Amino acid sequence: MERAALPGRLSWQLGEIVTLRQETAQAKSLTLSVPQWPGHRAGQHVDVRLTADDGYQAERSYSIASPPEVSEVTLTVERIADGEVSPYLTEELRVGDLLELRGPIGGYFVWEARQGGPLLLVAGGSGIVPLMAMLRHRAAAGSHAPARLLYSSRTFEDIIYREELDQQAIADPDLMVSHTLTRGQPPGWTSYSRRIDLDLLREVIGPPDSHSRAYICGPTPFVEVAATGLLSLGYPAERINTERFGPTGGA
Amino acid sequence: MPSTDMPPTEMNGNPPPRESADQHLDGNAAGGVLGAIFPFEMTMAMATCSGCGTTNPLGAAMAYVYGMGTILRCRTCDTALIRIAHIRGRYYLDLRGMQLLQFSEETPSA
């Protein structure tokens, strides 16, 4: 392993918005150019800080959606109706605006292609973001690590990155993507239509082998159901990585 | 140690919860403030809990993130491993919950 220089303490940097992309009605991707960006690993996040005219500051953490292979940093933000930060990020920011951020953060929820698979991903709502960074990294690295994603969303229209996931799954026989919709299904929907439970995990994710590593991300209640379920299926606790977003309802 | 009785905030822009039931995040959520203090990858730092003696990465601890501070609790016995408050340009660290903290001077390359 290459010995890297001391990273230094994390400090706030300014990133410039270069691209905005509406992913779904509630979710928007912000791509930033960050001049001193040291690079990141798939699964890491940044802290974002907003400062009001009166000096009031609010900080929130957002997972990085872009893979390490891309130098610009993309965050996908879900607009929370009574949020302090997300309405600003999803509605007010324009290309050219600056955003204060600190990162990359979190070596504990990271997957690198050289780790190999099987890679098991379980996403609830906007919990897909860091897992998408992992899948994008997996594709960019040309990895054939077997990977499965179980992605829970409210409705078909709420599925973030839906087309990109379809394309990846079609092109890659080692990647399996399964969706479950919890609040409404479009006509002709043949995939799952319920909140995740042990049976769903058993069918989609399956039992572990000696190298399996699972990553679960989403609202806290979702993560706890998924983590408990994977433990029941025999996944060792140290092979289950979780990133809880907090207690909101989610998918 | 200043009191940190503000409600916990969360990842991804979600508003703070109304009840103070066990609404913790994963240790990674403390990575930002830890990284602002220590020039090392602290979510991978191994902490030996003063309460139960188990040793685990800080990333595996339970993070309670408040407006003015963060508390990392041992997942095994709930002891507060680290309490961090950041108020008006000063950091306050209560590290009594850890017997030992160890971390590598090397960062895995990106």
Side-chain angles (χ1 to χ4, degrees), chain A residues 26-28 30 48 50 58-60 62 76-93, chain B residues 11-15:
Chain A
Q26 300 301 320
K28 194 167 191 175
L30 323 174
V48 167
L50 298 184
E59 283 180 36
R60 294 292 185 274
Y62 293 99
T76 302
V77 177
E78 183 176 45
R79 183 187 178 283
I80 305 299
D82 48 348
E84 270 193 316
V85 171
S86 63
Y88 176 81
L89 298 181
T90 54
E91 291 165 10
E92 304 298 326
L93 279 178
Chain B
M11 305 258 317
N12 227 40
N14 295 319

PDB file of all heavy atoms in Angstrom, chain A residues 26-28 30 48 50 58-60 62 76-93, chain B residues 11-15:
ATOM      1  N   GLN A  26     -38.004  14.959  -6.228  1.00  0.00           N
ATOM      2  CA  GLN A  26     -37.464  15.408  -4.939  1.00  0.00           C
ATOM      3  C   GLN A  26     -35.941  15.405  -4.867  1.00  0.00           C
ATOM      4  O   GLN A  26     -35.369  15.955  -3.941  1.00  0.00           O
ATOM      5  CB  GLN A  26     -37.993  14.510  -3.806  1.00  0.00           C
ATOM      6  CG  GLN A  26     -39.503  14.500  -3.648  1.00  0.00           C
ATOM      7  CD  GLN A  26     -40.057  15.878  -3.384  1.00  0.00           C
ATOM      8  OE1 GLN A  26     -39.467  16.664  -2.645  1.00  0.00           O
ATOM      9  NE2 GLN A  26     -41.184  16.191  -4.006  1.00  0.00           N
ATOM     10  N   ALA A  27     -35.289  14.753  -5.793  1.00  0.00           N
ATOM     11  CA  ALA A  27     -33.840  14.578  -5.686  1.00  0.00           C
ATOM     12  C   ALA A  27     -33.106  15.276  -6.810  1.00  0.00           C
ATOM     13  O   ALA A  27     -33.482  15.174  -7.979  1.00  0.00           O
ATOM     14  CB  ALA A  27     -33.485  13.094  -5.690  1.00  0.00           C
ATOM     15  N   LYS A  28     -32.049  15.961  -6.443  1.00  0.00           N
ATOM     16  CA  LYS A  28     -31.263  16.711  -7.416  1.00  0.00           C
ATOM     17  C   LYS A  28     -29.790  16.442  -7.193  1.00  0.00           C
ATOM     18  O   LYS A  28     -29.325  16.370  -6.052  1.00  0.00           O
ATOM     19  CB  LYS A  28     -31.529  18.201  -7.224  1.00  0.00           C
ATOM     20  CG  LYS A  28     -31.074  19.097  -8.344  1.00  0.00           C
ATOM     21  CD  LYS A  28     -31.693  20.457  -8.134  1.00  0.00           C
ATOM     22  CE  LYS A  28     -31.543  21.375  -9.299  1.00  0.00           C
ATOM     23  NZ  LYS A  28     -32.264  22.641  -9.062  1.00  0.00           N
ATOM     24  N   LEU A  30     -25.968  17.707  -7.547  1.00  0.00           N
ATOM     25  CA  LEU A  30     -25.137  18.902  -7.676  1.00  0.00           C
ATOM     26  C   LEU A  30     -23.714  18.442  -7.957  1.00  0.00           C
ATOM     27  O   LEU A  30     -23.158  17.674  -7.167  1.00  0.00           O
ATOM     28  CB  LEU A  30     -25.111  19.698  -6.365  1.00  0.00           C
ATOM     29  CG  LEU A  30     -26.380  19.793  -5.517  1.00  0.00           C
ATOM     30  CD1 LEU A  30     -26.074  20.489  -4.197  1.00  0.00           C
ATOM     31  CD2 LEU A  30     -27.465  20.522  -6.260  1.00  0.00           C
ATOM     32  N   VAL A  48     -21.692  19.668   4.506  1.00  0.00           N
ATOM     33  CA  VAL A  48     -21.996  20.914   3.799  1.00  0.00           C
ATOM     34  C   VAL A  48     -22.419  21.932   4.840  1.00  0.00           C
ATOM     35  O   VAL A  48     -23.136  21.597   5.783  1.00  0.00           O
ATOM     36  CB  VAL A  48     -23.137  20.676   2.778  1.00  0.00           C
ATOM     37  CG1 VAL A  48     -23.706  21.984   2.265  1.00  0.00           C
ATOM     38  CG2 VAL A  48     -22.634  19.827   1.622  1.00  0.00           C
ATOM     39  N   LEU A  50     -24.077  25.825   5.443  1.00  0.00           N
ATOM     40  CA  LEU A  50     -24.703  27.045   4.931  1.00  0.00           C
ATOM     41  C   LEU A  50     -24.634  28.110   6.014  1.00  0.00           C
ATOM     42  O   LEU A  50     -24.869  27.826   7.193  1.00  0.00           O
ATOM     43  CB  LEU A  50     -26.178  26.792   4.583  1.00  0.00           C
ATOM     44  CG  LEU A  50     -26.485  25.775   3.499  1.00  0.00           C
ATOM     45  CD1 LEU A  50     -27.985  25.739   3.238  1.00  0.00           C
ATOM     46  CD2 LEU A  50     -25.742  26.083   2.209  1.00  0.00           C
ATOM     47  N   ALA A  58     -25.860  26.201   9.453  1.00  0.00           N
ATOM     48  CA  ALA A  58     -26.448  24.864   9.527  1.00  0.00           C
ATOM     49  C   ALA A  58     -25.548  23.919   8.757  1.00  0.00           C
ATOM     50  O   ALA A  58     -25.089  24.254   7.666  1.00  0.00           O
ATOM     51  CB  ALA A  58     -27.851  24.869   8.931  1.00  0.00           C
ATOM     52  N   GLU A  59     -25.296  22.768   9.325  1.00  0.00           N
ATOM     53  CA  GLU A  59     -24.456  21.760   8.673  1.00  0.00           C
ATOM     54  C   GLU A  59     -25.251  20.495   8.464  1.00  0.00           C
ATOM     55  O   GLU A  59     -26.024  20.098   9.325  1.00  0.00           O
ATOM     56  CB  GLU A  59     -23.265  21.380   9.571  1.00  0.00           C
ATOM     57  CG  GLU A  59     -22.147  22.371   9.609  1.00  0.00           C
ATOM     58  CD  GLU A  59     -21.024  21.891  10.523  1.00  0.00           C
ATOM     59  OE1 GLU A  59     -20.753  20.677  10.577  1.00  0.00           O
ATOM     60  OE2 GLU A  59     -20.434  22.761  11.202  1.00  0.00           O
ATOM     61  N   ARG A  60     -25.049  19.857   7.317  1.00  0.00           N
ATOM     62  CA  ARG A  60     -25.618  18.543   7.080  1.00  0.00           C
ATOM     63  C   ARG A  60     -24.582  17.707   6.338  1.00  0.00           C
ATOM     64  O   ARG A  60     -23.716  18.252   5.654  1.00  0.00           O
ATOM     65  CB  ARG A  60     -26.885  18.624   6.219  1.00  0.00           C
ATOM     66  CG  ARG A  60     -28.061  19.336   6.860  1.00  0.00           C
ATOM     67  CD  ARG A  60     -28.646  18.574   8.021  1.00  0.00           C
ATOM     68  NE  ARG A  60     -29.848  19.212   8.544  1.00  0.00           N
ATOM     69  CZ  ARG A  60     -29.853  20.181   9.462  1.00  0.00           C
ATOM     70  NH1 ARG A  60     -28.709  20.639   9.954  1.00  0.00           N
ATOM     71  NH2 ARG A  60     -30.997  20.692   9.886  1.00  0.00           N
ATOM     72  N   TYR A  62     -23.795  14.854   3.407  1.00  0.00           N
ATOM     73  CA  TYR A  62     -24.332  14.284   2.166  1.00  0.00           C
ATOM     74  C   TYR A  62     -23.329  13.316   1.577  1.00  0.00           C
ATOM     75  O   TYR A  62     -22.140  13.615   1.490  1.00  0.00           O
ATOM     76  CB  TYR A  62     -24.653  15.377   1.138  1.00  0.00           C
ATOM     77  CG  TYR A  62     -25.789  16.255   1.583  1.00  0.00           C
ATOM     78  CD1 TYR A  62     -25.547  17.490   2.168  1.00  0.00           C
ATOM     79  CD2 TYR A  62     -27.114  15.822   1.465  1.00  0.00           C
ATOM     80  CE1 TYR A  62     -26.588  18.278   2.613  1.00  0.00           C
ATOM     81  CE2 TYR A  62     -28.158  16.607   1.911  1.00  0.00           C
ATOM     82  CZ  TYR A  62     -27.896  17.833   2.488  1.00  0.00           C
ATOM     83  OH  TYR A  62     -28.924  18.611   2.942  1.00  0.00           O
ATOM     84  N   THR A  76     -25.966  13.980  -4.413  1.00  0.00           N
ATOM     85  CA  THR A  76     -27.380  13.902  -4.767  1.00  0.00           C
ATOM     86  C   THR A  76     -28.168  14.163  -3.498  1.00  0.00           C
ATOM     87  O   THR A  76     -28.025  13.441  -2.511  1.00  0.00           O
ATOM     88  CB  THR A  76     -27.727  12.540  -5.386  1.00  0.00           C
ATOM     89  OG1 THR A  76     -26.925  12.334  -6.537  1.00  0.00           O
ATOM     90  CG2 THR A  76     -29.195  12.499  -5.781  1.00  0.00           C
ATOM     91  N   VAL A  77     -28.960  15.224  -3.551  1.00  0.00           N
ATOM     92  CA  VAL A  77     -29.661  15.702  -2.360  1.00  0.00           C
ATOM     93  C   VAL A  77     -31.155  15.476  -2.515  1.00  0.00           C
ATOM     94  O   VAL A  77     -31.733  15.825  -3.548  1.00  0.00           O
ATOM     95  CB  VAL A  77     -29.389  17.213  -2.167  1.00  0.00           C
ATOM     96  CG1 VAL A  77     -30.160  17.762  -0.980  1.00  0.00           C
ATOM     97  CG2 VAL A  77     -27.892  17.447  -2.001  1.00  0.00           C
ATOM     98  N   GLU A  78     -31.762  14.912  -1.497  1.00  0.00           N
ATOM     99  CA  GLU A  78     -33.217  14.761  -1.512  1.00  0.00           C
ATOM    100  C   GLU A  78     -33.823  15.920  -0.748  1.00  0.00           C
ATOM    101  O   GLU A  78     -33.408  16.231   0.372  1.00  0.00           O
ATOM    102  CB  GLU A  78     -33.629  13.444  -0.878  1.00  0.00           C
ATOM    103  CG  GLU A  78     -35.136  13.210  -0.932  1.00  0.00           C
ATOM    104  CD  GLU A  78     -35.554  11.870  -0.384  1.00  0.00           C
ATOM    105  OE1 GLU A  78     -35.056  11.496   0.692  1.00  0.00           O
ATOM    106  OE2 GLU A  78     -36.377  11.204  -1.028  1.00  0.00           O
ATOM    107  N   ARG A  79     -34.798  16.575  -1.356  1.00  0.00           N
ATOM    108  CA  ARG A  79     -35.432  17.707  -0.722  1.00  0.00           C
ATOM    109  C   ARG A  79     -36.378  17.217   0.379  1.00  0.00           C
ATOM    110  O   ARG A  79     -37.321  16.475   0.119  1.00  0.00           O
ATOM    111  CB  ARG A  79     -36.207  18.507  -1.761  1.00  0.00           C
ATOM    112  CG  ARG A  79     -36.838  19.755  -1.192  1.00  0.00           C
ATOM    113  CD  ARG A  79     -37.740  20.430  -2.219  1.00  0.00           C
ATOM    114  NE  ARG A  79     -38.386  21.592  -1.648  1.00  0.00           N
ATOM    115  CZ  ARG A  79     -39.426  21.556  -0.829  1.00  0.00           C
ATOM    116  NH1 ARG A  79     -39.956  20.396  -0.502  1.00  0.00           N
ATOM    117  NH2 ARG A  79     -39.935  22.662  -0.343  1.00  0.00           N
ATOM    118  N   ILE A  80     -36.104  17.655   1.602  1.00  0.00           N
ATOM    119  CA  ILE A  80     -36.971  17.351   2.737  1.00  0.00           C
ATOM    120  C   ILE A  80     -37.838  18.575   2.972  1.00  0.00           C
ATOM    121  O   ILE A  80     -37.313  19.690   3.096  1.00  0.00           O
ATOM    122  CB  ILE A  80     -36.132  17.040   3.996  1.00  0.00           C
ATOM    123  CG1 ILE A  80     -35.130  15.924   3.710  1.00  0.00           C
ATOM    124  CG2 ILE A  80     -37.043  16.701   5.166  1.00  0.00           C
ATOM    125  CD1 ILE A  80     -35.730  14.619   3.315  1.00  0.00           C
ATOM    126  N   ALA A  81     -39.145  18.384   3.036  1.00  0.00           N
ATOM    127  CA  ALA A  81     -40.084  19.509   3.047  1.00  0.00           C
ATOM    128  C   ALA A  81     -39.773  20.561   4.096  1.00  0.00           C
ATOM    129  O   ALA A  81     -39.735  21.743   3.799  1.00  0.00           O
ATOM    130  CB  ALA A  81     -41.507  18.991   3.224  1.00  0.00           C
ATOM    131  N   ASP A  82     -39.525  20.168   5.332  1.00  0.00           N
ATOM    132  CA  ASP A  82     -39.253  21.177   6.357  1.00  0.00           C
ATOM    133  C   ASP A  82     -37.779  21.192   6.751  1.00  0.00           C
ATOM    134  O   ASP A  82     -37.431  21.540   7.873  1.00  0.00           O
ATOM    135  CB  ASP A  82     -40.160  20.957   7.586  1.00  0.00           C
ATOM    136  CG  ASP A  82     -40.159  19.504   8.037  1.00  0.00           C
ATOM    137  OD1 ASP A  82     -39.645  18.644   7.270  1.00  0.00           O
ATOM    138  OD2 ASP A  82     -40.676  19.214   9.127  1.00  0.00           O
ATOM    139  N   GLY A  83     -36.946  20.852   5.805  1.00  0.00           N
ATOM    140  CA  GLY A  83     -35.511  20.852   6.077  1.00  0.00           C
ATOM    141  C   GLY A  83     -34.942  22.256   6.129  1.00  0.00           C
ATOM    142  O   GLY A  83     -35.506  23.194   5.571  1.00  0.00           O
ATOM    143  N   GLU A  84     -33.794  22.356   6.807  1.00  0.00           N
ATOM    144  CA  GLU A  84     -33.132  23.656   6.881  1.00  0.00           C
ATOM    145  C   GLU A  84     -32.195  23.865   5.713  1.00  0.00           C
ATOM    146  O   GLU A  84     -31.885  24.985   5.350  1.00  0.00           O
ATOM    147  CB  GLU A  84     -32.276  23.724   8.164  1.00  0.00           C
ATOM    148  CG  GLU A  84     -32.992  24.257   9.371  1.00  0.00           C
ATOM    149  CD  GLU A  84     -32.017  24.595  10.494  1.00  0.00           C
ATOM    150  OE1 GLU A  84     -31.111  23.797  10.756  1.00  0.00           O
ATOM    151  OE2 GLU A  84     -32.186  25.665  11.096  1.00  0.00           O
ATOM    152  N   VAL A  85     -31.697  22.793   5.187  1.00  0.00           N
ATOM    153  CA  VAL A  85     -30.610  22.866   4.209  1.00  0.00           C
ATOM    154  C   VAL A  85     -31.032  22.361   2.832  1.00  0.00           C
ATOM    155  O   VAL A  85     -30.737  22.992   1.826  1.00  0.00           O
ATOM    156  CB  VAL A  85     -29.394  22.059   4.730  1.00  0.00           C
ATOM    157  CG1 VAL A  85     -28.320  21.918   3.669  1.00  0.00           C
ATOM    158  CG2 VAL A  85     -28.822  22.737   5.973  1.00  0.00           C
ATOM    159  N   SER A  86     -31.745  21.235   2.786  1.00  0.00           N
ATOM    160  CA  SER A  86     -32.024  20.628   1.477  1.00  0.00           C
ATOM    161  C   SER A  86     -32.891  21.500   0.562  1.00  0.00           C
ATOM    162  O   SER A  86     -32.663  21.508  -0.649  1.00  0.00           O
ATOM    163  CB  SER A  86     -32.614  19.232   1.629  1.00  0.00           C
ATOM    164  OG  SER A  86     -33.854  19.271   2.295  1.00  0.00           O
ATOM    165  N   PRO A  87     -33.880  22.256   1.068  1.00  0.00           N
ATOM    166  CA  PRO A  87     -34.638  23.108   0.135  1.00  0.00           C
ATOM    167  C   PRO A  87     -33.727  24.128  -0.545  1.00  0.00           C
ATOM    168  O   PRO A  87     -33.891  24.416  -1.729  1.00  0.00           O
ATOM    169  CB  PRO A  87     -35.672  23.798   1.030  1.00  0.00           C
ATOM    170  CG  PRO A  87     -35.858  22.863   2.167  1.00  0.00           C
ATOM    171  CD  PRO A  87     -34.500  22.281   2.417  1.00  0.00           C
ATOM    172  N   TYR A  88     -32.761  24.660   0.196  1.00  0.00           N
ATOM    173  CA  TYR A  88     -31.823  25.609  -0.411  1.00  0.00           C
ATOM    174  C   TYR A  88     -30.983  24.923  -1.484  1.00  0.00           C
ATOM    175  O   TYR A  88     -30.825  25.433  -2.600  1.00  0.00           O
ATOM    176  CB  TYR A  88     -30.909  26.223   0.651  1.00  0.00           C
ATOM    177  CG  TYR A  88     -29.853  27.133   0.057  1.00  0.00           C
ATOM    178  CD1 TYR A  88     -30.158  28.439  -0.294  1.00  0.00           C
ATOM    179  CD2 TYR A  88     -28.557  26.667  -0.194  1.00  0.00           C
ATOM    180  CE1 TYR A  88     -29.212  29.270  -0.865  1.00  0.00           C
ATOM    181  CE2 TYR A  88     -27.604  27.486  -0.766  1.00  0.00           C
ATOM    182  CZ  TYR A  88     -27.928  28.784  -1.096  1.00  0.00           C
ATOM    183  OH  TYR A  88     -26.991  29.598  -1.679  1.00  0.00           O
ATOM    184  N   LEU A  89     -30.469  23.759  -1.165  1.00  0.00           N
ATOM    185  CA  LEU A  89     -29.586  23.065  -2.104  1.00  0.00           C
ATOM    186  C   LEU A  89     -30.330  22.644  -3.368  1.00  0.00           C
ATOM    187  O   LEU A  89     -29.777  22.673  -4.466  1.00  0.00           O
ATOM    188  CB  LEU A  89     -28.959  21.827  -1.449  1.00  0.00           C
ATOM    189  CG  LEU A  89     -28.065  22.068  -0.231  1.00  0.00           C
ATOM    190  CD1 LEU A  89     -27.508  20.742   0.281  1.00  0.00           C
ATOM    191  CD2 LEU A  89     -26.930  23.020  -0.565  1.00  0.00           C
ATOM    192  N   THR A  90     -31.581  22.239  -3.217  1.00  0.00           N
ATOM    193  CA  THR A  90     -32.300  21.708  -4.374  1.00  0.00           C
ATOM    194  C   THR A  90     -33.063  22.783  -5.133  1.00  0.00           C
ATOM    195  O   THR A  90     -33.446  22.563  -6.280  1.00  0.00           O
ATOM    196  CB  THR A  90     -33.295  20.614  -3.957  1.00  0.00           C
ATOM    197  OG1 THR A  90     -34.150  21.134  -2.930  1.00  0.00           O
ATOM    198  CG2 THR A  90     -32.569  19.392  -3.416  1.00  0.00           C
ATOM    199  N   GLU A  91     -33.301  23.935  -4.539  1.00  0.00           N
ATOM    200  CA  GLU A  91     -34.129  24.944  -5.224  1.00  0.00           C
ATOM    201  C   GLU A  91     -33.415  26.262  -5.492  1.00  0.00           C
ATOM    202  O   GLU A  91     -33.747  26.947  -6.448  1.00  0.00           O
ATOM    203  CB  GLU A  91     -35.379  25.236  -4.382  1.00  0.00           C
ATOM    204  CG  GLU A  91     -36.338  24.068  -4.341  1.00  0.00           C
ATOM    205  CD  GLU A  91     -37.367  24.226  -3.237  1.00  0.00           C
ATOM    206  OE1 GLU A  91     -37.453  25.311  -2.629  1.00  0.00           O
ATOM    207  OE2 GLU A  91     -38.087  23.250  -2.984  1.00  0.00           O
ATOM    208  N   GLU A  92     -32.457  26.641  -4.653  1.00  0.00           N
ATOM    209  CA  GLU A  92     -31.876  27.977  -4.770  1.00  0.00           C
ATOM    210  C   GLU A  92     -30.533  28.011  -5.487  1.00  0.00           C
ATOM    211  O   GLU A  92     -30.196  29.006  -6.109  1.00  0.00           O
ATOM    212  CB  GLU A  92     -31.679  28.595  -3.370  1.00  0.00           C
ATOM    213  CG  GLU A  92     -32.931  28.661  -2.528  1.00  0.00           C
ATOM    214  CD  GLU A  92     -33.992  29.533  -3.162  1.00  0.00           C
ATOM    215  OE1 GLU A  92     -33.638  30.542  -3.819  1.00  0.00           O
ATOM    216  OE2 GLU A  92     -35.184  29.207  -3.041  1.00  0.00           O
ATOM    217  N   LEU A  93     -29.765  26.948  -5.375  1.00  0.00           N
ATOM    218  CA  LEU A  93     -28.420  26.970  -5.958  1.00  0.00           C
ATOM    219  C   LEU A  93     -28.466  27.039  -7.475  1.00  0.00           C
ATOM    220  O   LEU A  93     -29.299  26.384  -8.121  1.00  0.00           O
ATOM    221  CB  LEU A  93     -27.650  25.723  -5.544  1.00  0.00           C
ATOM    222  CG  LEU A  93     -27.002  25.742  -4.154  1.00  0.00           C
ATOM    223  CD1 LEU A  93     -26.331  24.404  -3.910  1.00  0.00           C
ATOM    224  CD2 LEU A  93     -25.993  26.869  -4.032  1.00  0.00           C
TER     225      LEU A  93
ATOM    226  N   MET B  11     -28.111  12.963   8.921  1.00  0.00           N
ATOM    227  CA  MET B  11     -27.525  13.001   7.597  1.00  0.00           C
ATOM    228  C   MET B  11     -28.583  13.411   6.583  1.00  0.00           C
ATOM    229  O   MET B  11     -29.761  13.302   6.808  1.00  0.00           O
ATOM    230  CB  MET B  11     -27.016  11.613   7.210  1.00  0.00           C
ATOM    231  CG  MET B  11     -26.059  11.027   8.192  1.00  0.00           C
ATOM    232  SD  MET B  11     -24.363  11.104   7.726  1.00  0.00           S
ATOM    233  CE  MET B  11     -24.359  10.649   6.026  1.00  0.00           C
ATOM    234  N   ASN B  12     -28.099  13.864   5.479  1.00  0.00           N
ATOM    235  CA  ASN B  12     -28.930  14.050   4.306  1.00  0.00           C
ATOM    236  C   ASN B  12     -30.050  15.054   4.481  1.00  0.00           C
ATOM    237  O   ASN B  12     -31.106  14.923   3.892  1.00  0.00           O
ATOM    238  CB  ASN B  12     -29.506  12.709   3.817  1.00  0.00           C
ATOM    239  CG  ASN B  12     -29.338  12.581   2.317  1.00  0.00           C
ATOM    240  OD1 ASN B  12     -28.302  12.956   1.783  1.00  0.00           O
ATOM    241  ND2 ASN B  12     -30.338  12.096   1.632  1.00  0.00           N
ATOM    242  N   GLY B  13     -29.825  16.075   5.307  1.00  0.00           N
ATOM    243  CA  GLY B  13     -30.771  17.173   5.357  1.00  0.00           C
ATOM    244  C   GLY B  13     -32.053  16.887   6.080  1.00  0.00           C
ATOM    245  O   GLY B  13     -32.946  17.704   6.089  1.00  0.00           O
ATOM    246  N   ASN B  14     -32.174  15.729   6.722  1.00  0.00           N
ATOM    247  CA  ASN B  14     -33.437  15.437   7.410  1.00  0.00           C
ATOM    248  C   ASN B  14     -33.575  16.283   8.670  1.00  0.00           C
ATOM    249  O   ASN B  14     -32.594  16.559   9.345  1.00  0.00           O
ATOM    250  CB  ASN B  14     -33.491  13.956   7.779  1.00  0.00           C
ATOM    251  CG  ASN B  14     -33.532  13.093   6.543  1.00  0.00           C
ATOM    252  OD1 ASN B  14     -34.217  13.415   5.590  1.00  0.00           O
ATOM    253  ND2 ASN B  14     -32.780  12.017   6.539  1.00  0.00           N
ATOM    254  N   PRO B  15     -34.780  16.705   9.042  1.00  0.00           N
ATOM    255  CA  PRO B  15     -34.956  17.532  10.226  1.00  0.00           C
ATOM    256  C   PRO B  15     -34.750  16.706  11.490  1.00  0.00           C
ATOM    257  O   PRO B  15     -34.860  15.493  11.441  1.00  0.00           O
ATOM    258  CB  PRO B  15     -36.406  18.007  10.122  1.00  0.00           C
ATOM    259  CG  PRO B  15     -37.089  17.008   9.279  1.00  0.00           C
ATOM    260  CD  PRO B  15     -36.041  16.455   8.328  1.00  0.00           C
TER     261      PRO B  15
END
